[in-house]
Amino acid sequence: MDKLSYTLKDVAERAGVSLTTVSRVINKRGYFSEKTKSRIYATMQQMNYHPNSVARSLSGKKTKLIGVILTNTHNPFNAELLEKIELELFNREYKVIIANSSDNPQKERAYISLLQSNQVDGLITASHNTIIDDYHELTLPVVSLDRYFGPRIPTISSDNFSGGQTAAQILIDGGARRLLVFSGEINDTNPTMDRTNGFIDISKKHNMIPIVQVMPSDATVNFRKMLIRQEILKQKPDGIMATDDTTALLVLEELRIMHLQVPHDVQVIGYDGSDFVLQSFPELSTIVQPISDLAKTLVDTLIKKIEQPDILQERQYTFPITLHRGASTN
Amino acid sequence: MDKLSYTLKDVAERAGVSLTTVSRVINKRGYFSEKTKSRIYATMQQMNYHPNSVARSLSGKKTKLIGVILTNTHNPFNAELLEKIELELFNREYKVIIANSSDNPQKERAYISLLQSNQVDGLITASHNTIIDDYHELTLPVVSLDRYFGPRIPTISSDNFSGGQTAAQILIDGGARRLLVFSGEINDTNPTMDRTNGFIDISKKHNMIPIVQVMPSDATVNFRKMLIRQEILKQKPDGIMATDDTTALLVLEELRIMHLQVPHDVQVIGYDGSDFVLQSFPELSTIVQPISDLAKTLVDTLIKKIEQPDILQERQYTFPITLHRGASTN
DNA sequence: AAAAACAACGAAAGCGCTTACATTTTTTAA
DNA sequence: TTAAAAAATGTAAGCGCTTTCGTTGTTTTT
């Protein structure tokens, strides 16, 4: 009768060596002869042996596991970021445990504790709850997207302020005078604040003060749509920025229903520029974040912190944004 | 100087009990007094102790880790499926390791081996490579979305054949006579085959034979767009089904560029009906898969296999699809 | 030819837990 | 009141690895 899974000892016995030797061969560490090496490989193959990385981690101290904390996975920006992070980590032989905070500080907290218990080697956080204290207590390597946690945790972001500025400039250059912003929750852990501030900055330079409507993060889609409709009716804007593309798409949708012409009656610009949105809705003008660069830098920085903890690194990486001009702006 | 992380023993010493007692309290197993319980809790709190689940898994045999194998994470259907799977698993105190196969059998294979090494308690697979053998060798609990692996691995799916039928019926009822299908790769591990077959089935009953254009899974977006344009020019269809929404959106995009009116000149129907697409592009008619039901059933079935391996379960769960009627069909 | 260095391997401790099996103390039953 | 049952805690063996020391040959050096 086969065992469910074999151990080092089983392999060792079958190959007629000690388990130390097998371990050495597997880890390519220390001395062993070519002959025993191939014999051991053959035996492992034959037994379909898979080293137990739980045991390995327990003695070796590394799990090769990275926790990735996101707000959610359905937003295309997050989805693509996650995919690219996963790819980068896979290439470095790390695995990822996902943790959706669902905009719920409690859940984020629970996950931080869980991930710590699971001995992840590091953490990438791209959520935006205001629970910075929990991160400060962590002793393991962390890198953050957008959210600033103090000098010990590197922050990787794209230039949100400048993105907001660019968006405003585009709308104003296109002739907009009544500006409206649909923004995510505004607090200093949330990059949408910088975007909105950048937008306000340029608006003011043109003697305009945009109306800012915050979208509650726990709002349902229908509620969002209602808010959008209501605000458009009330403000009669001719230029709208949404601080993320999914909201921008909802805006376009509502404008269509209201029979307002884009960009003739109202210009619209979004934010994020995920590949999916760029490809499927090229009409939407949007501020494009360099998702691949962000993912790569998050991973590079984290892995360096893990594997070479003594090397000093930048505390902050800010990537420039780009603009995608679609037909939704002039 | 603080240690980086405390162990059971540290807690035990500090609380003045044996480490067995602490273990019992943590696991709420066996006898212990209310008094020591609260003392131990207090100590743990105070030390910010997190049980090492690696050690726990090594002795306890369970990791509470589930591997989720997906093709990718950027497709909204996958992204939402993943999100819902994660939610269900979190509620049952399981964590998820994601594994993007990237349409690459080699990577999928590597991940299967990796996940096995990591002692995951079970596997959910929603990828569509034709590497069924690797799964057969697995001794751990597996459930599959769509792909059939034989009687030992439950298959959860929505009714792909019927979805294809419905799509055809809608187009034909709307007056379409020259039918075109943009399909994913066609092989028996891929649900798009059933969708296409359902479509063909109804078409034939109306004495039509649709043209089927396969989209290679490794094609770039530009190549896809080119294929779409080319095929539309060649076939001059008046009814198009795409076996996934992302392709359907590209079709809409190309039709717009070609100045063909939807649905007047060409009707279009997609497949998947993720919330994101339903909300942001309600114009697109599409076959809606019950993503939540699929996720919940995948998780329920898997967890039951893990925790109550002796209970017999259905080998197959098929959920009905629904139709979302947008403005892209008559 | 002896000393030093290297190569190939093994024994055993230990990573931080769980758990079967004591052992001691308290409660309950008769 | 005393034996039996229940409650509270402890001891120690492992879980499957890595790793530090050995030990024993085999080369190399001079």
Side-chain angles (χ1 to χ4, degrees):
Chain A
M1 181 62 197
D2 277 3
K3 292 174 64 171
L4 269 116
S5 64
Y6 294 104
T7 71
L8 251 203
K9 201 173 146 210
D10 298 324
V11 177
E13 276 168 8
R14 188 95 90 97
V17 291
S18 81
L19 97 197
T20 314
T21 302
V22 181
S23 174
R24 264 192 291 254
V25 167
I26 289 178
N27 296 295
K28 305 189 202 313
R29 185 200 305 289
Y31 296 119
F32 48 84
S33 72
E34 196 59 35
K35 217 175 72 187
T36 52
K37 175 183 149 188
S38 43
R39 182 149 41 91
I40 286 171
Y41 271 131
T43 316
M44 291 194 302
Q45 190 93 47
Q46 186 184 330
M47 300 172 88
N48 189 28
Y49 168 76
H50 291 260
N52 180 330
S53 44
V54 170
R56 213 169 205 182
S57 303
L58 186 57
S59 32
K61 298 289 165 218
K62 302 260 134 210
T63 55
K64 290 282 187 175
L65 236 31
I66 302 292
V68 176
I69 302 180
L70 296 169
T71 302
N72 61 56
T73 252
H74 67 255
N75 180 301
F77 176 80
N78 291 341
E80 290 179 19
L81 184 71
L82 173 61
E83 181 164 325
K84 282 163 178 164
I85 288 175
E86 184 270 344
L87 220 217
E88 293 288 341
L89 285 174
F90 180 79
N91 290 338
R92 291 168 175 76
E93 296 184 22
Y94 281 83
K95 295 136 281 179
V96 3
I97 295 189
I98 56 158
N100 285 89
S101 70
S102 310
D103 266 320
N104 176 351
Q106 294 237 267
K107 196 175 169 199
E108 184 162 353
R109 253 191 214 105
Y111 254 128
I112 293 172
S113 169
L114 215 56
L115 292 170
Q116 232 179 323
S117 276
N118 274 274
Q119 313 296 115
V120 295
D121 290 342
L123 228 53
I124 295 178
T125 172
S127 177
H128 302 123
N129 291 313
T130 52
I131 54 161
I132 57 170
D133 285 356
D134 297 63
Y135 286 96
H136 283 304
E137 286 177 4
L138 286 178
T139 52
L140 51 84
V142 182
V143 299
S144 159
L145 181 77
D146 285 325
R147 200 165 21 160
Y148 180 72
F149 288 106
R152 261 184 42 220
I153 297 177
T155 308
I156 282 84
S157 56
S158 55
D159 194 337
N160 290 300
F161 191 82
S162 144
Q165 288 182 311
T166 305
Q169 196 65 58
I170 291 295
L171 295 179
I172 292 168
D173 287 353
R177 291 300 171 263
R178 295 182 308 284
L179 301 176
L180 177 58
V181 174
F182 289 109
S183 158
E185 305 257 11
I186 294 205
N187 60 54
D188 25 317
T189 70
N190 201 320
T192 58
M193 189 181 70
D194 292 330
R195 296 174 195 169
T196 301
N197 284 341
F199 192 94
I200 293 173
D201 175 65
I202 290 292
S203 304
K204 281 192 176 155
K205 289 192 177 133
H206 291 265
N207 301 309
M208 291 174 238
I209 294 183
I211 307 287
V212 176
Q213 172 63 50
V214 171
M215 304 298 250
S217 61
D218 57 350
T220 63
V221 171
N222 282 334
F223 185 70
R224 281 162 202 268
K225 286 186 172 174
M226 201 208 64
L227 261 184
I228 290 169
R229 207 172 319 148
Q230 182 182 301
E231 212 59 19
I232 290 174
L233 283 172
K234 194 157 83 191
Q235 312 296 349
K236 306 223 180 305
D238 56 4
I240 300 179
M241 165 174 94
T243 55
D244 68 298
D245 285 337
T246 63
T247 304
L249 291 173
L250 292 182
V251 169
L252 287 183
E253 177 61 23
E254 289 306 309
L255 290 171
R256 217 171 299 147
I257 294 173
M258 299 163 90
H259 299 292
L260 288 167
Q261 295 297 316
V262 174
H264 182 266
D265 302 328
V266 190
Q267 298 181 76
V268 177
I269 188 162
Y271 209 110
D272 280 347
S274 61
D275 288 339
F276 178 69
V277 170
L278 290 180
Q279 285 154 12
S280 301
F281 304 96
E283 294 77 31
L284 177 67
S285 294
T286 190
I287 304 298
V288 181
Q289 298 198 64
I291 303 188
S292 294
D293 291 337
L294 294 172
K296 188 164 189 325
T297 308
L298 283 165
V299 169
D300 280 347
T301 309
L302 181 61
I303 300 303
K304 206 175 280 176
K305 273 193 93 171
I306 293 171
E307 297 181 353
Q308 304 162 7
D310 298 329
I311 293 191
L312 274 186
Q313 292 191 90
E314 296 294 325
R315 305 274 145 261
Q316 183 119 17
Y317 295 85
T318 307
F319 288 89
I321 49 83
T322 55
L323 169 68
H324 167 75
R325 276 176 180 280
S328 69
T329 51
N330 289 317
Chain B
M1 183 62 196
D2 277 1
K3 293 175 59 171
L4 268 118
S5 65
Y6 294 105
T7 71
L8 252 203
K9 200 174 146 208
D10 297 325
V11 176
E13 275 168 9
R14 188 96 91 97
V17 291
S18 82
L19 96 197
T20 314
T21 302
V22 181
S23 173
R24 264 193 291 257
V25 168
I26 289 177
N27 296 293
K28 304 187 201 312
R29 185 202 306 289
Y31 296 118
F32 47 84
S33 72
E34 196 60 35
K35 217 176 72 189
T36 51
K37 175 183 148 187
S38 43
R39 183 151 39 92
I40 286 170
Y41 271 132
T43 316
M44 291 193 305
Q45 190 93 45
Q46 187 184 329
M47 301 172 88
N48 189 27
Y49 168 75
H50 291 261
N52 180 329
S53 45
V54 169
R56 213 169 205 181
S57 302
L58 186 58
S59 32
K61 299 289 163 217
K62 302 262 133 210
T63 54
K64 291 279 187 178
L65 236 31
I66 302 292
V68 175
I69 302 180
L70 295 170
T71 301
N72 61 57
T73 252
H74 69 254
N75 180 301
F77 176 80
N78 291 342
E80 289 179 20
L81 183 72
L82 173 61
E83 180 163 325
K84 282 164 178 164
I85 287 175
E86 183 271 346
L87 219 217
E88 293 289 341
L89 285 174
F90 180 80
N91 290 338
R92 291 169 175 75
E93 298 184 19
Y94 281 84
K95 296 135 281 178
V96 2
I97 295 189
I98 56 158
N100 285 87
S101 70
S102 310
D103 265 319
N104 176 350
Q106 292 237 270
K107 194 175 171 198
E108 184 163 352
R109 253 193 215 104
Y111 254 129
I112 292 171
S113 169
L114 215 56
L115 292 169
Q116 231 180 324
S117 277
N118 274 274
Q119 313 297 114
V120 295
D121 290 343
L123 230 51
I124 295 177
T125 171
S127 177
H128 301 123
N129 291 313
T130 51
I131 54 160
I132 57 172
D133 285 356
D134 297 63
Y135 286 96
H136 283 304
E137 285 177 3
L138 286 177
T139 52
L140 51 84
V142 181
V143 299
S144 159
L145 181 79
D146 285 324
R147 202 166 19 161
Y148 180 71
F149 288 106
R152 261 183 44 219
I153 297 178
T155 308
I156 283 84
S157 55
S158 54
D159 194 335
N160 290 300
F161 191 82
S162 145
Q165 288 183 311
T166 305
Q169 196 65 59
I170 291 295
L171 294 180
I172 293 169
D173 287 353
R177 291 300 172 262
R178 293 181 309 284
L179 301 175
L180 177 58
V181 175
F182 290 108
S183 158
E185 305 257 11
I186 294 204
N187 60 54
D188 23 315
T189 70
N190 201 319
T192 59
M193 188 181 70
D194 292 329
R195 296 173 195 169
T196 301
N197 283 340
F199 192 93
I200 294 174
D201 175 66
I202 290 293
S203 304
K204 281 193 175 157
K205 289 192 175 136
H206 291 267
N207 301 310
M208 291 174 239
I209 295 182
I211 306 288
V212 176
Q213 173 63 50
V214 171
M215 304 298 249
S217 60
D218 57 350
T220 64
V221 172
N222 281 334
F223 186 69
R224 280 162 203 269
K225 286 187 174 174
M226 202 209 64
L227 262 184
I228 290 169
R229 208 171 317 146
Q230 182 181 302
E231 214 58 21
I232 291 174
L233 284 173
K234 194 157 84 187
Q235 312 296 348
K236 307 223 178 304
D238 56 5
I240 300 178
M241 166 174 95
T243 57
D244 67 299
D245 285 338
T246 62
T247 303
L249 291 173
L250 292 183
V251 168
L252 286 182
E253 178 62 23
E254 289 306 308
L255 289 171
R256 217 170 300 147
I257 293 172
M258 298 164 90
H259 298 295
L260 287 167
Q261 294 297 316
V262 174
H264 182 268
D265 302 329
V266 189
Q267 299 180 74
V268 177
I269 188 162
Y271 209 111
D272 281 346
S274 60
D275 289 338
F276 178 69
V277 169
L278 289 178
Q279 285 153 13
S280 302
F281 303 96
E283 295 78 28
L284 176 66
S285 294
T286 189
I287 304 298
V288 180
Q289 298 198 65
I291 304 187
S292 294
D293 291 337
L294 294 172
K296 188 164 188 326
T297 308
L298 284 166
V299 169
D300 280 347
T301 308
L302 181 61
I303 301 302
K304 206 175 280 175
K305 274 193 90 171
I306 293 171
E307 298 182 353
Q308 305 162 5
D310 298 329
I311 292 189
L312 273 186
Q313 292 192 87
E314 296 292 328
R315 304 274 149 259
Q316 183 119 19
Y317 294 86
T318 307
F319 288 91
I321 51 84
T322 56
L323 170 68
H324 166 74
R325 274 177 182 281
S328 69
T329 51
N330 288 319

